[in-house]
Amino acid sequence: SPCHAGTGPKELQPWLLSLTAVVVFLFIVFVLLLVNRLWQIRMRRWDGDASGTHLGGGDRPEPGGGGRRLRPCPRPGAG
């Protein structure tokens, strides 16, 4: 019947196929980066709990500071 003539499998245009491949690739990279980030957080927490060292009140790094504490440079001649 003529109503069902266009219902078969359709071939994607080359540009649409390329766009789909790029989107899928970027999604896979995003998922891998997310899993890596969660793994790093988990391992950092696990290392802290396993060693028994917990940060005290004054030694806690500032949020968003990357966990590094800056120390002042010594003055020349002081010491």
Side-chain angles (χ1 to χ4, degrees):
S1 103
C3 294
H4 298 289
T7 59
K10 295 185 179 182
E11 195 171 318
L12 294 175
Q13 296 290 328
W15 64 270
L16 191 57
L17 189 63
S18 300
L19 182 65
T20 304
V22 169
V23 169
V24 168
F25 174 75
L26 290 176
F27 179 74
I28 290 172
V29 169
F30 172 74
V31 169
L32 289 176
L33 289 173
L34 188 63
V35 167
N36 186 27
R37 178 73 173 163
L38 294 175
W39 183 260
Q40 294 290 332
I41 291 171
R42 180 176 177 225
M43 293 309 290
R44 201 175 311 134
R45 286 183 183 170
W46 188 79
D47 286 343
D49 291 344
S51 65
T53 58
H54 296 285
L55 297 174
D59 294 335
R60 189 172 304 260
E62 293 292 324
R68 257 200 289 182
R69 293 188 60 126
L70 299 176
R71 295 189 178 125
C73 294
R75 292 183 188 174

Coordinates of all heavy atoms in Angstrom, one line a residue:
S1 N 0.8 -1.2 0.0 CA 0.0 0.0 0.0 C 0.9 1.2 0.0 O 2.0 1.2 0.6 CB -0.9 -0.1 1.2 OG -0.6 0.7 2.2
P2 N 0.5 2.3 -0.6 CA 1.3 3.5 -0.7 C 1.5 4.2 0.6 O 2.4 5.0 0.8 CB 0.6 4.4 -1.7 CG -0.7 3.8 -2.0 CD -0.7 2.4 -1.4
C3 N 0.7 4.0 1.6 CA 0.8 4.7 2.9 C 2.0 4.2 3.7 O 2.6 4.9 4.5 CB -0.4 4.5 3.7 SG -1.9 5.3 3.0
H4 N 2.4 2.9 3.4 CA 3.5 2.4 4.1 C 4.8 2.3 3.3 O 5.8 1.7 3.7 CB 3.2 0.9 4.5 CG 2.0 0.8 5.4 ND1 2.1 1.2 6.7 CD2 0.7 0.4 5.2 CE1 0.9 1.0 7.3 NE2 0.0 0.5 6.4
A5 N 4.9 3.1 2.3 CA 6.1 3.1 1.4 C 7.3 3.7 2.1 O 8.5 3.3 1.9 CB 5.8 3.8 0.1
G6 N 7.2 4.7 3.0 CA 8.3 5.4 3.6 C 8.6 5.0 5.0 O 9.3 5.7 5.8
T7 N 8.2 3.8 5.4 CA 8.3 3.4 6.8 C 9.5 2.5 7.0 O 9.8 2.0 8.1 CB 7.1 2.7 7.4 OG1 6.8 1.5 6.5 CG2 5.9 3.6 7.4
G8 N 10.3 2.2 6.0 CA 11.5 1.3 6.1 C 12.6 2.0 6.8 O 12.5 3.2 7.2
P9 N 13.7 1.3 7.0 CA 14.9 1.9 7.6 C 15.4 3.0 6.8 O 15.5 2.9 5.6 CB 15.9 0.8 7.7 CG 15.5 -0.3 6.8 CD 14.0 -0.1 6.6
K10 N 15.8 4.1 7.5 CA 16.3 5.3 6.7 C 17.8 5.5 7.0 O 18.3 5.2 8.1 CB 15.5 6.5 7.2 CG 14.1 6.5 6.9 CD 13.4 7.8 7.2 CE 11.9 7.7 6.8 NZ 11.2 8.9 7.1
E11 N 18.5 5.9 6.0 CA 19.9 6.2 6.1 C 20.1 7.6 6.6 O 19.5 8.5 6.0 CB 20.6 5.9 4.8 CG 22.1 5.8 4.9 CD 22.6 5.3 3.5 OE1 22.1 4.4 2.9 OE2 23.7 5.9 3.2
L12 N 21.0 7.8 7.6 CA 21.3 9.1 8.0 C 22.2 9.9 7.1 O 23.0 9.3 6.4 CB 21.9 9.1 9.4 CG 21.1 8.5 10.6 CD1 22.0 8.4 11.8 CD2 19.9 9.4 10.8
Q13 N 22.0 11.2 7.0 CA 22.9 12.0 6.3 C 24.3 12.0 6.9 O 24.4 11.8 8.1 CB 22.4 13.5 6.3 CG 21.0 13.7 5.6 CD 21.1 13.5 4.1 OE1 22.1 13.8 3.5 NE2 20.0 13.0 3.6
P14 N 25.3 12.1 6.1 CA 26.7 12.0 6.6 C 27.0 13.1 7.7 O 27.6 12.8 8.7 CB 27.6 12.3 5.4 CG 26.7 12.0 4.2 CD 25.3 12.2 4.6
W15 N 26.5 14.3 7.6 CA 26.7 15.3 8.6 C 26.0 14.9 9.9 O 26.5 15.2 11.0 CB 26.3 16.7 8.1 CG 24.8 16.8 7.9 CD1 24.2 16.6 6.7 CD2 23.8 17.2 8.8 NE1 22.8 16.8 6.9 CE2 22.6 17.2 8.1 CE3 23.8 17.5 10.2 CZ2 21.4 17.5 8.8 CZ3 22.7 17.9 10.8 CH2 21.4 17.8 10.1
L16 N 24.8 14.3 9.8 CA 24.1 13.9 11.0 C 24.8 12.7 11.7 O 24.8 12.6 12.9 CB 22.7 13.6 10.6 CG 21.7 13.4 11.8 CD1 21.7 14.6 12.6 CD2 20.3 13.1 11.2
L17 N 25.3 11.8 10.9 CA 26.1 10.7 11.4 C 27.3 11.2 12.2 O 27.6 10.8 13.3 CB 26.5 9.8 10.3 CG 27.0 8.4 10.7 CD1 26.0 7.6 11.5 CD2 27.5 7.7 9.5
S18 N 28.0 12.2 11.6 CA 29.2 12.7 12.2 C 28.9 13.5 13.5 O 29.5 13.4 14.5 CB 29.9 13.7 11.3 OG 30.3 13.0 10.1
L19 N 27.8 14.2 13.4 CA 27.3 15.0 14.6 C 27.0 14.0 15.8 O 27.3 14.2 16.9 CB 26.1 15.9 14.3 CG 25.6 16.7 15.4 CD1 26.6 17.7 15.8 CD2 24.3 17.4 15.0
T20 N 26.3 12.9 15.4 CA 25.9 11.9 16.4 C 27.2 11.3 17.0 O 27.3 11.1 18.2 CB 25.1 10.8 15.8 OG1 23.9 11.4 15.2 CG2 24.6 9.8 16.8
A21 N 28.2 11.0 16.2 CA 29.4 10.4 16.7 C 30.1 11.3 17.6 O 30.6 10.9 18.7 CB 30.3 10.0 15.5
V22 N 30.2 12.6 17.3 CA 30.8 13.6 18.2 C 30.1 13.7 19.5 O 30.7 13.8 20.6 CB 30.9 15.0 17.5 CG1 31.4 16.1 18.4 CG2 31.9 14.9 16.3
V23 N 28.8 13.8 19.5 CA 28.0 13.9 20.7 C 28.2 12.7 21.6 O 28.4 12.8 22.8 CB 26.5 14.1 20.4 CG1 25.6 14.0 21.6 CG2 26.3 15.5 19.7
V24 N 28.2 11.5 21.0 CA 28.4 10.3 21.8 C 29.8 10.3 22.4 O 30.0 9.9 23.6 CB 28.1 9.0 20.9 CG1 28.6 7.8 21.6 CG2 26.7 8.9 20.6
F25 N 30.8 10.7 21.6 CA 32.2 10.7 22.1 C 32.3 11.7 23.3 O 32.9 11.4 24.3 CB 33.1 11.1 21.0 CG 34.5 11.4 21.5 CD1 35.3 10.3 21.8 CD2 35.0 12.7 21.6 CE1 36.6 10.5 22.2 CE2 36.3 12.9 22.0 CZ 37.1 11.8 22.3
L26 N 31.7 12.9 23.2 CA 31.8 13.9 24.2 C 31.0 13.4 25.5 O 31.5 13.6 26.6 CB 31.2 15.2 23.8 CG 32.0 16.0 22.8 CD1 31.3 17.2 22.3 CD2 33.4 16.3 23.4
F27 N 29.9 12.7 25.3 CA 29.2 12.1 26.4 C 30.0 11.1 27.2 O 30.1 11.0 28.4 CB 27.9 11.5 26.0 CG 27.1 10.9 27.1 CD1 26.4 11.7 28.0 CD2 27.0 9.5 27.2 CE1 25.7 11.2 29.0 CE2 26.3 9.0 28.3 CZ 25.6 9.8 29.2
I28 N 30.7 10.2 26.4 CA 31.6 9.2 27.0 C 32.7 9.9 27.8 O 33.1 9.5 28.9 CB 32.1 8.2 26.0 CG1 31.0 7.4 25.4 CG2 33.3 7.4 26.5 CD1 31.3 6.5 24.2
V29 N 33.3 10.9 27.2 CA 34.4 11.6 27.9 C 33.9 12.3 29.2 O 34.5 12.2 30.2 CB 35.0 12.7 27.0 CG1 36.0 13.6 27.7 CG2 35.8 12.0 25.9
F30 N 32.7 12.9 29.1 CA 32.1 13.5 30.3 C 31.9 12.4 31.4 O 32.2 12.7 32.6 CB 30.8 14.1 29.9 CG 30.0 14.6 31.1 CD1 30.4 15.8 31.8 CD2 28.8 14.0 31.5 CE1 29.6 16.2 32.9 CE2 28.1 14.4 32.6 CZ 28.5 15.5 33.3
V31 N 31.3 11.3 31.0 CA 31.1 10.2 32.0 C 32.4 9.7 32.6 O 32.5 9.6 33.9 CB 30.3 9.1 31.4 CG1 30.3 7.9 32.3 CG2 28.9 9.5 31.1
L32 N 33.4 9.6 31.8 CA 34.7 9.1 32.3 C 35.3 10.2 33.3 O 35.9 9.8 34.3 CB 35.7 8.8 31.2 CG 35.4 7.6 30.4 CD1 36.3 7.5 29.2 CD2 35.4 6.3 31.2
L33 N 35.2 11.4 33.0 CA 35.7 12.5 33.8 C 35.0 12.5 35.2 O 35.6 12.7 36.2 CB 35.7 13.9 33.2 CG 36.7 14.1 32.0 CD1 36.4 15.4 31.3 CD2 38.1 14.1 32.6
L34 N 33.7 12.3 35.1 CA 32.9 12.3 36.3 C 33.2 11.1 37.2 O 33.4 11.3 38.4 CB 31.4 12.2 35.9 CG 30.4 12.4 37.0 CD1 30.5 13.8 37.7 CD2 29.0 12.2 36.5
V35 N 33.4 9.9 36.6 CA 33.8 8.8 37.4 C 35.2 9.0 38.0 O 35.4 8.6 39.1 CB 33.7 7.5 36.4 CG1 34.4 6.3 37.1 CG2 32.3 7.2 36.1
N36 N 36.1 9.5 37.2 CA 37.4 9.8 37.7 C 37.4 10.7 38.9 O 38.0 10.5 39.9 CB 38.3 10.4 36.6 CG 39.7 10.5 37.1 OD1 40.2 9.8 38.0 ND2 40.4 11.5 36.5
R37 N 36.6 11.8 38.8 CA 36.4 12.8 39.9 C 35.9 12.1 41.2 O 36.4 12.3 42.3 CB 35.5 13.9 39.5 CG 35.3 15.0 40.5 CD 36.5 15.8 40.7 NE 36.1 16.9 41.6 CZ 37.0 17.6 42.2 NH1 38.3 17.4 42.1 NH2 36.6 18.6 43.0
L38 N 34.8 11.3 41.0 CA 34.2 10.6 42.1 C 35.2 9.6 42.7 O 35.3 9.4 44.0 CB 32.9 9.9 41.7 CG 31.8 10.9 41.3 CD1 30.6 10.1 40.8 CD2 31.4 11.7 42.5
W39 N 36.0 8.9 41.9 CA 37.0 8.0 42.4 C 38.1 8.7 43.2 O 38.5 8.2 44.2 CB 37.6 7.2 41.2 CG 38.6 6.2 41.6 CD1 39.9 6.3 41.6 CD2 38.3 4.9 42.1 NE1 40.5 5.2 42.1 CE2 39.5 4.3 42.4 CE3 37.1 4.2 42.3 CZ2 39.6 3.0 42.9 CZ3 37.2 2.9 42.8 CH2 38.4 2.3 43.1
Q40 N 38.5 9.9 42.7 CA 39.5 10.6 43.5 C 39.0 11.0 44.8 O 39.7 11.0 45.8 CB 39.9 11.9 42.7 CG 40.7 11.6 41.4 CD 42.0 11.0 41.6 OE1 42.7 11.3 42.6 NE2 42.5 10.2 40.6
I41 N 37.8 11.5 44.9 CA 37.2 11.9 46.2 C 37.1 10.7 47.1 O 37.4 10.8 48.3 CB 35.8 12.6 45.9 CG1 35.9 13.9 45.2 CG2 35.0 12.7 47.2 CD1 34.6 14.5 44.8
R42 N 36.6 9.6 46.5 CA 36.5 8.4 47.4 C 37.8 7.9 47.9 O 38.0 7.6 49.1 CB 35.9 7.3 46.5 CG 35.7 6.0 47.3 CD 35.0 5.0 46.4 NE 34.9 3.7 47.1 CZ 35.1 2.5 46.6 NH1 35.5 2.5 45.3 NH2 35.0 1.5 47.3
M43 N 38.9 7.9 47.1 CA 40.2 7.5 47.5 C 40.8 8.5 48.5 O 41.5 8.0 49.5 CB 41.1 7.3 46.3 CG 40.8 6.2 45.4 SD 40.5 4.6 46.2 CE 42.2 4.2 46.7
R44 N 40.5 9.7 48.4 CA 41.0 10.7 49.3 C 40.4 10.5 50.7 O 41.1 10.6 51.7 CB 40.8 12.1 48.8 CG 41.6 13.2 49.5 CD 41.5 14.6 48.9 NE 41.5 14.6 47.4 CZ 40.6 15.2 46.7 NH1 39.6 15.9 47.2 NH2 40.7 15.1 45.4
R45 N 39.1 10.3 50.7 CA 38.4 10.0 52.0 C 38.9 8.7 52.6 O 39.1 8.6 53.8 CB 36.9 9.9 51.7 CG 36.3 11.3 51.5 CD 34.8 11.1 51.4 NE 34.2 12.4 51.1 CZ 32.9 12.6 50.7 NH1 32.1 11.5 50.6 NH2 32.4 13.8 50.5
W46 N 39.1 7.7 51.7 CA 39.5 6.4 52.2 C 40.9 6.5 52.8 O 41.2 5.9 53.9 CB 39.5 5.4 51.1 CG 39.7 4.0 51.6 CD1 38.8 3.1 52.2 CD2 40.9 3.2 51.5 NE1 39.4 1.9 52.4 CE2 40.7 2.0 52.0 CE3 42.2 3.5 50.9 CZ2 41.7 1.0 52.1 CZ3 43.2 2.6 51.0 CH2 42.9 1.3 51.6
D47 N 41.8 7.2 52.2 CA 43.2 7.4 52.7 C 43.2 8.1 54.0 O 43.9 7.8 54.9 CB 44.0 8.1 51.7 CG 44.4 7.3 50.5 OD1 44.3 6.0 50.6 OD2 44.9 7.9 49.5
G48 N 42.3 9.1 54.2 CA 42.2 9.8 55.4 C 41.7 9.0 56.5 O 42.2 9.0 57.7
D49 N 40.7 8.1 56.3 CA 40.1 7.3 57.3 C 41.1 6.1 57.7 O 41.2 5.8 58.8 CB 38.8 6.7 56.8 CG 37.7 7.7 56.7 OD1 37.9 8.8 57.3 OD2 36.7 7.5 56.1
A50 N 41.8 5.6 56.7 CA 42.6 4.5 56.9 C 43.9 4.8 57.7 O 44.3 4.1 58.6 CB 43.1 3.8 55.6
S51 N 44.4 6.0 57.5 CA 45.6 6.4 58.2 C 45.3 7.0 59.6 O 46.2 7.1 60.4 CB 46.4 7.5 57.4 OG 45.6 8.7 57.3
G52 N 44.1 7.3 59.9 CA 43.7 7.7 61.2 C 44.0 9.2 61.4 O 43.9 9.7 62.6
T53 N 44.4 9.9 60.4 CA 44.7 11.3 60.6 C 43.5 12.1 60.1 O 43.1 12.0 58.9 CB 45.9 11.7 59.8 OG1 45.7 11.4 58.4 CG2 47.2 11.0 60.2
H54 N 43.0 12.9 61.0 CA 41.8 13.8 60.6 C 42.3 15.2 60.8 O 43.1 15.5 61.7 CB 40.6 13.5 61.5 CG 40.1 12.1 61.2 ND1 39.4 11.8 60.1 CD2 40.2 11.0 62.0 CE1 39.0 10.5 60.2 NE2 39.5 10.0 61.3
L55 N 41.8 16.1 60.0 CA 42.2 17.5 60.1 C 41.5 18.1 61.3 O 40.3 17.9 61.6 CB 41.8 18.3 58.9 CG 42.5 17.8 57.6 CD1 42.0 18.6 56.4 CD2 44.0 18.0 57.7
G56 N 42.3 18.8 62.1 CA 41.7 19.5 63.3 C 41.1 20.8 62.9 O 41.0 21.2 61.7
G57 N 40.6 21.6 63.8 CA 39.9 22.8 63.6 C 40.7 23.8 62.8 O 40.3 24.4 61.8
G58 N 41.9 24.1 63.3 CA 42.7 25.2 62.7 C 43.4 24.7 61.4 O 43.9 25.5 60.7
D59 N 43.6 23.4 61.2 CA 44.3 22.9 60.1 C 43.5 22.7 58.9 O 43.9 22.2 57.9 CB 45.1 21.6 60.5 CG 46.1 21.9 61.5 OD1 46.6 23.0 61.6 OD2 46.5 20.9 62.2
R60 N 42.2 22.9 59.0 CA 41.3 22.6 57.9 C 41.4 23.6 56.8 O 41.4 24.8 57.0 CB 39.8 22.6 58.4 CG 38.8 22.1 57.4 CD 37.5 22.0 58.1 NE 37.5 21.2 59.2 CZ 37.2 19.9 59.3 NH1 36.7 19.4 58.2 NH2 37.2 19.2 60.4
P61 N 41.7 23.2 55.6 CA 41.8 24.1 54.5 C 40.5 24.9 54.2 O 39.4 24.4 54.4 CB 42.3 23.2 53.3 CG 41.8 21.9 53.6 CD 41.8 21.8 55.1
E62 N 40.7 26.0 53.6 CA 39.5 26.8 53.2 C 38.8 26.1 52.0 O 39.4 25.5 51.2 CB 40.0 28.2 52.7 CG 40.6 29.0 53.8 CD 39.5 29.4 54.8 OE1 38.4 29.7 54.5 OE2 39.9 29.5 56.0
P63 N 37.5 26.2 52.0 CA 36.7 25.6 50.9 C 37.1 26.2 49.6 O 37.3 27.4 49.4 CB 35.2 26.0 51.2 CG 35.2 26.4 52.6 CD 36.6 26.9 53.0
G64 N 37.4 25.3 48.6 CA 37.8 25.8 47.3 C 39.2 26.2 47.2 O 39.7 26.7 46.2
G65 N 40.0 26.0 48.3 CA 41.4 26.4 48.3 C 42.3 25.3 47.7 O 43.5 25.5 47.6
G66 N 41.8 24.2 47.3 CA 42.6 23.1 46.8 C 43.4 22.4 47.8 O 44.3 21.5 47.5
G67 N 43.2 22.6 49.1 CA 43.9 21.9 50.2 C 45.3 22.4 50.4 O 46.0 21.7 51.2
R68 N 45.7 23.5 49.9 CA 47.1 24.0 50.1 C 47.0 25.2 51.1 O 46.2 26.0 50.9 CB 47.7 24.5 48.8 CG 48.7 23.5 48.3 CD 49.6 24.1 47.3 NE 48.9 24.4 46.1 CZ 49.4 25.0 45.0 NH1 50.7 25.3 45.1 NH2 48.8 25.2 44.0
R69 N 47.9 25.2 52.0 CA 48.0 26.3 52.9 C 49.2 27.1 52.5 O 50.3 26.6 52.3 CB 48.2 25.9 54.3 CG 47.0 25.2 54.9 CD 47.1 24.9 56.3 NE 47.3 26.2 57.0 CZ 46.6 26.6 58.0 NH1 45.7 25.8 58.5 NH2 46.8 27.7 58.6
L70 N 49.1 28.4 52.4 CA 50.1 29.3 52.0 C 50.9 29.8 53.3 O 50.3 30.1 54.3 CB 49.6 30.5 51.3 CG 48.9 30.2 50.0 CD1 48.3 31.5 49.4 CD2 49.8 29.6 49.0
R71 N 52.2 29.7 53.2 CA 53.0 30.2 54.3 C 53.7 31.5 53.9 O 54.1 31.6 52.8 CB 54.1 29.2 54.7 CG 53.5 27.9 55.2 CD 54.5 27.0 55.7 NE 53.9 25.8 56.2 CZ 54.2 24.6 55.9 NH1 55.1 24.3 55.0 NH2 53.6 23.5 56.4
P72 N 53.8 32.4 54.8 CA 54.5 33.7 54.5 C 56.0 33.5 54.2 O 56.6 32.6 54.8 CB 54.3 34.6 55.7 CG 54.0 33.6 56.8 CD 53.4 32.4 56.2
C73 N 56.5 34.2 53.3 CA 57.9 34.1 53.0 C 58.7 34.8 54.1 O 58.3 35.8 54.7 CB 58.2 34.9 51.7 SG 57.5 34.2 50.3
P74 N 59.9 34.1 54.5 CA 60.7 34.7 55.5 C 61.3 36.0 55.1 O 61.7 36.2 53.9 CB 61.8 33.7 55.8 CG 61.8 32.8 54.6 CD 60.4 32.9 54.0
R75 N 61.5 37.0 56.0 CA 62.1 38.3 55.7 C 63.6 38.1 55.7 O 64.1 37.4 56.5 CB 61.7 39.3 56.8 CG 60.2 39.6 56.7 CD 60.0 40.7 57.7 NE 58.5 40.9 57.9 CZ 58.0 41.7 58.8 NH1 58.8 42.4 59.6 NH2 56.7 41.9 58.8
P76 N 64.2 38.8 54.8 CA 65.7 38.8 54.8 C 66.2 39.3 56.0 O 65.8 40.4 56.5 CB 66.1 39.7 53.6 CG 64.8 39.9 52.8 CD 63.7 39.6 53.7
G77 N 67.2 38.6 56.6 CA 67.8 39.1 57.9 C 67.1 38.7 59.1 O 67.6 38.9 60.2
A78 N 65.8 38.2 59.0 CA 65.1 37.8 60.2 C 65.4 36.4 60.5 O 65.5 35.5 59.6 CB 63.6 38.0 60.0
G79 N 65.5 36.0 61.7 CA 65.6 34.6 62.0 C 66.5 34.3 63.0 O 66.9 33.4 63.5

